[in-house]
Amino acid sequence: MSGNIELLNSTLAAARAENRAALVGYLPAGFPTVDDGVRAVTAMLEGGCDIVEVGLPHSDPVLDGPVIQTADDIALRGGLKIVDVLRTVREAHAATGAPVLVMTYWNPVDAYGVERFAADLAAAGGAGCILPDLPVEESEVWRKAAEQHGLATVFVVAPSSRDERLARITAAGTGFVYAASLMGVTGTRESVGHEAQELVRRTRAVTELPVCVGLGVSDAAQAAEVARFADGVIVGSAFVKRLLEAPDLEAGLTAVRALAGELAEGVRKRA
């Protein structure tokens, strides 16, 4: 069975045709539970996200800030398995028809089996995989499996990436480029900053892939700011925070759906 890279590509193209950025949401699987996580991811898509990233919780999440680390810990203590991550992808995609990717560190994929993970993710209706800690130079085995199964391989670039490095990374990637807006870990911030705009400019100079910006966006105003120069706006910690702070699940789902709607309005206010 083939994955949904073409659905991802067409969704990003449709947003561009509407002269706006795509809204990409993130939540770790298994948070607060596997069943509730499926509902939360679905609520994000129903609320206005175009694309969603389902995180595969990891015990040593080097890119993730304290909010997502807290959610990861809850999921892992709940006994989350890779099969639960794949189920989250399957059910969220089936419920909404939207492209769903997995964001994961490399070790769980390697331990599960590269070919097996690609095949199972495609069978679940997945659109691709974001691999923040997989060096391009060591990615050939994964990229071949992903291509065979119709999955995107999304790499992360950072402000510290030199131009020649950007060219090498983007040449190996498919789907879109994940531009980390600043050096550091995930989390909401008061300002996304100018580094993100410069990184997008430099990345676009070496690739025709859409460039989506993450790390730091938490509200509609920031989403609008980033949407002026990026092809996509990625929001994760703000969604997790809404669930963590909610008094109960139903309130959390309402908050997540509402945030998605606010951010969706933001990405449509491109100046």
Side-chain angles (χ1 to χ4, degrees):
M1 182 173 178
S2 182
N4 274 313
I5 184 173
E6 291 306 325
L7 176 62
L8 174 66
N9 292 341
S10 63
T11 299
L12 289 163
R16 176 177 287 186
E18 295 174 11
N19 192 33
R20 67 173 178 89
L23 176 59
V24 185
Y26 167 92
L27 271 182
F31 166 72
T33 66
V34 176
D35 288 346
D36 295 344
V38 171
R39 294 183 66 192
V41 171
T42 303
M44 290 165 60
L45 290 163
E46 291 172 346
C49 287
D50 300 291
I51 300 162
V52 77
E53 304 170 5
V54 172
L56 198 164
H58 194 270
S59 57
D60 186 24
V62 293
L63 186 69
D64 297 319
V67 172
I68 291 177
Q69 284 186 27
T70 298
D72 279 3
D73 185 57
I74 291 169
L76 291 170
R77 283 192 285 110
L80 182 84
K81 305 295 183 187
I82 287 181
V83 67
D84 300 315
V85 179
L86 295 169
R87 178 190 152 202
T88 303
V89 171
R90 179 183 297 106
E91 295 191 8
H93 171 65
T96 63
V100 182
L101 300 96
V102 167
M103 186 167 188
T104 178
Y105 297 98
W106 177 244
N107 187 59
V109 177
D110 193 36
Y112 188 84
V114 175
E115 169 65 26
R116 179 186 172 205
F117 188 86
D120 288 356
L121 179 55
C129 209
I130 303 165
L131 298 155
D133 68 338
L134 178 63
V136 170
E137 293 79 6
E138 300 173 21
S139 67
E140 185 176 2
V141 171
W142 164 259
R143 286 188 287 119
K144 282 185 175 179
E147 182 178 7
Q148 179 183 348
H149 291 286
L151 299 170
T153 296
V154 178
F155 289 109
V156 179
V157 298
S160 61
S161 303
R162 296 178 181 272
D163 290 348
E164 57 269 27
R165 183 69 180 162
L166 287 176
R168 186 177 304 169
I169 292 172
T170 56
T174 52
F176 64 91
V177 182
Y178 187 125
S181 65
L182 37 74
M183 300 303 293
V185 297
T186 58
T188 58
R189 291 175 173 81
E190 291 183 4
S191 175
V192 178
H194 296 291
E195 281 188 323
Q197 187 167 359
E198 176 63 12
L199 177 58
V200 170
R201 184 195 67 76
R202 291 172 53 224
T203 304
R204 281 184 171 156
V206 297
T207 184
E208 294 185 359
L209 287 173
V211 183
C212 301
V213 172
L215 305 193
V217 177
S218 60
D219 58 34
Q222 290 177 336
E225 176 191 352
V226 174
R228 293 187 185 104
F229 59 81
D231 299 296
V233 180
I234 302 171
V235 182
S237 295
F239 283 114
V240 175
K241 198 172 180 184
R242 293 281 177 112
L243 283 173
L244 285 171
E245 293 178 347
D248 55 57
L249 177 65
E250 294 305 322
L253 294 175
T254 298
V256 161
R257 191 176 281 106
L259 177 59
E262 293 162 14
L263 293 166
E265 287 187 18
V267 300
R268 286 164 170 79
K269 291 181 179 176
R270 173 180 282 176

